[in-house]
Amino acid sequence: MKKLIVTIVLVISSLSFAQEKSKLSPEQQTELQVKKMTLDLDLDANQQKELRTILLENTKKREAKKMTLKEKMSKGQKPTPDEQFEMKSKMLDDKIEHKAQLKKILKPEQFQKWEQKLNYRKEIIAKSKRMAKENKE
């Protein structure tokens, strides 16, 4: 029961943080990401600089994609299955590229720690989705 409550609190807090985050500029979002990663992974100044460049570029790309999709949706146009496939494929390609870039910047132990945190977050999200699905039934 305690685990359920903790998981729900984590999901709600992460969702509320994600909503707040959207109000920030890409530069502000990037700066917060760099600082968080610096605390988590003990990055040096050079790593922070390289990471800031990559994250800012990725954030700007993501925001541009969001705006394009929002415009299309506001006109009542939904993406076709082929467009959905292309978007998902491009997103996965971007993730692969991002991971490769991080692997170049981070030391092996830092990269391993980053992957562990990423996997942990994925597990929490998957658990919360399962619980939400079970609660609906």
Side-chain angles (χ1 to χ4, degrees):
M1 185 64 176
K2 288 181 182 179
K3 288 183 182 180
L4 173 66
I5 293 170
V6 169
T7 303
I8 291 171
V9 169
L10 284 173
V11 170
I12 291 171
S13 65
S14 67
L15 289 175
S16 65
F17 179 71
Q19 289 173 351
E20 290 174 21
K21 188 173 163 180
S22 65
K23 296 176 186 176
L24 302 175
S25 72
E27 291 79 10
Q28 291 171 323
Q29 291 177 28
T30 300
E31 191 60 34
L32 292 176
Q33 279 183 296
V34 170
K35 286 183 179 188
K36 186 170 182 348
M37 288 181 76
T38 299
L39 287 172
D40 291 343
L41 304 174
D42 195 30
L43 302 177
D44 62 35
N46 190 41
Q47 288 174 315
Q48 289 176 37
K49 182 180 174 188
E50 291 179 43
L51 191 61
R52 189 173 287 111
T53 304
I54 291 169
L55 292 176
L56 182 59
E57 180 183 317
N58 290 344
T59 302
K60 286 182 178 180
K61 282 182 187 177
R62 190 173 49 250
E63 289 297 319
K65 288 176 190 174
K66 273 188 199 178
M67 293 303 293
T68 303
L69 189 59
K70 279 185 182 181
E71 287 175 16
K72 194 172 190 176
M73 296 296 278
S74 69
K75 295 176 184 175
Q77 300 172 336
K78 292 185 179 179
T80 65
D82 287 339
E83 289 173 332
Q84 287 177 350
F85 171 78
E86 285 298 320
M87 287 188 299
K88 288 180 182 181
S89 180
K90 178 71 172 124
M91 181 187 69
L92 291 172
D93 288 342
D94 290 345
K95 283 185 178 185
I96 291 168
E97 181 184 347
H98 180 69
K99 189 173 182 177
Q101 289 172 330
L102 283 178
K103 204 169 197 173
K104 290 178 185 175
I105 295 170
L106 300 176
K107 297 173 186 167
E109 57 275 0
Q110 290 172 322
F111 184 77
Q112 183 180 11
K113 189 174 180 180
W114 174 79
E115 279 192 316
Q116 288 172 345
K117 285 188 162 288
L118 188 65
N119 290 333
Y120 177 72
R121 279 187 236 123
K122 286 179 183 179
E123 288 174 20
I124 288 177
I125 291 169
K127 284 180 185 177
S128 66
K129 285 181 180 180
R130 280 194 303 269
M131 283 193 265
K133 186 177 179 181
E134 290 172 3
N135 289 338
K136 282 186 176 180
E137 296 172 351

